[in-house]
Amino acid sequence: MNQQKSQTTEEVLAESLKHLMAVIPFEKITVKEITDEAHVKRPTFYNHFRDKYDVVEYILQRDIIRPAHMLISCDMLHEAIRLMLNGMKKDSDFYIRAVKIEGTNSFKEVLMQNLTGILRDAMNMRGMDETHSNPILTMDNIAECYALCITFGIVKWIQGGMKIEVDDVCEALQIMLSESLADIIYHRKK
């Protein structure tokens, strides 16, 4: 019962922030405004979240990362990316505003960290070996490299107002993730 109440409070605070972001720039929103909108006391906020950036990460985790993680763990990377994009498109007003969050807890940074974690988990599940003759080719570095590519594509898409169709974004990401740079530069038809 306590866990359900806790989840309900997190959800209410998350929806409060989303509602406020529709009318106020994120950087101007205060914790007090979030708690007032949610009709909870300020200390309640801190029982669930560190700050308003933590609420954004919670929303991203709940709506995008967790569902994608399940697909990636089942060898369904492209389906996971499609699911993420469709989820963001469904809540485009929030994500178009969230992508503007800058600083150490920026939307871009949070997305990349979470994607890196998902990809690292997928590699660990498959028993990938950390040993490689090249010390740059660690699982962490490989996961980060691919997460950076996916994050770049998603952020560019959101910054462009999500006007490109999800299928086209998926195709572009698939090309960037699977084709070599040499193939793209020298062998791709224009």
Side-chain angles (χ1 to χ4, degrees):
M1 183 83 175
N2 272 348
Q3 186 179 10
Q4 187 176 5
K5 181 170 177 34
S6 195
Q7 260 186 324
T8 302
T9 302
E10 289 171 344
E11 293 291 326
V12 168
L13 290 166
E15 293 309 310
S16 171
L17 176 62
K18 285 172 78 172
H19 179 261
L20 288 168
M21 283 178 65
V23 293
I24 302 170
F26 177 80
E27 63 274 1
K28 294 187 180 197
I29 296 172
T30 65
V31 169
K32 181 170 178 6
E33 289 170 323
I34 296 169
T35 57
D36 287 351
E37 177 75 21
H39 305 291
V40 299
K41 303 239 184 261
R42 187 179 168 109
T44 301
F45 178 92
Y46 292 107
N47 289 335
H48 300 277
F49 299 108
R50 292 180 309 268
D51 53 29
K52 64 184 181 180
Y53 295 93
D54 201 24
V55 182
V56 172
E57 183 168 359
Y58 169 81
I59 294 167
L60 184 63
Q61 278 277 340
R62 177 194 68 190
D63 297 347
I64 306 301
I65 299 300
R66 282 188 208 125
H69 192 278
M70 291 189 333
L71 289 175
I72 290 171
S73 67
C74 295
D75 294 330
M76 300 173 73
L77 177 62
H78 299 296
E79 293 84 352
I81 292 171
R82 182 178 310 285
L83 180 70
M84 290 168 51
L85 295 172
N86 280 322
M88 290 177 181
K89 181 92 173 179
K90 186 177 124 199
D91 202 1
S92 60
D93 290 340
F94 171 73
Y95 287 99
I96 287 171
R97 287 174 175 83
V99 80
K100 296 176 183 173
I101 299 170
E102 296 291 330
T104 54
N105 295 318
S106 70
F107 173 83
K108 183 176 170 181
E109 181 181 309
V110 168
L111 178 60
M112 185 166 147
Q113 287 173 350
N114 280 282
L115 287 172
T116 300
I118 288 174
L119 296 174
R120 190 180 319 107
D121 288 349
M123 287 187 272
N124 282 331
M125 284 176 52
R126 273 145 203 79
M128 285 186 67
D129 193 355
E130 263 300 341
T131 60
H132 195 281
S133 60
N134 188 324
I136 293 177
L137 294 175
T138 65
M139 282 194 307
D140 286 342
N141 288 347
I142 293 168
E144 188 176 340
C145 177
Y146 281 93
L148 182 59
C149 180
I150 297 167
T151 300
F152 173 84
I154 290 173
V155 167
K156 287 295 182 186
W157 175 63
I158 296 171
Q159 288 172 336
M162 298 179 165
K163 293 177 183 155
I164 301 170
E165 294 297 322
V166 167
D167 287 342
D168 294 332
V169 178
C170 287
E171 179 185 4
L173 286 171
Q174 185 170 355
I175 289 167
M176 289 191 292
L177 292 169
S178 62
E179 293 188 21
S180 75
L181 182 58
D183 286 343
I184 292 171
I185 293 173
Y186 301 114
H187 303 291
R188 197 153 199 36
K189 292 182 181 179
K190 298 190 192 262

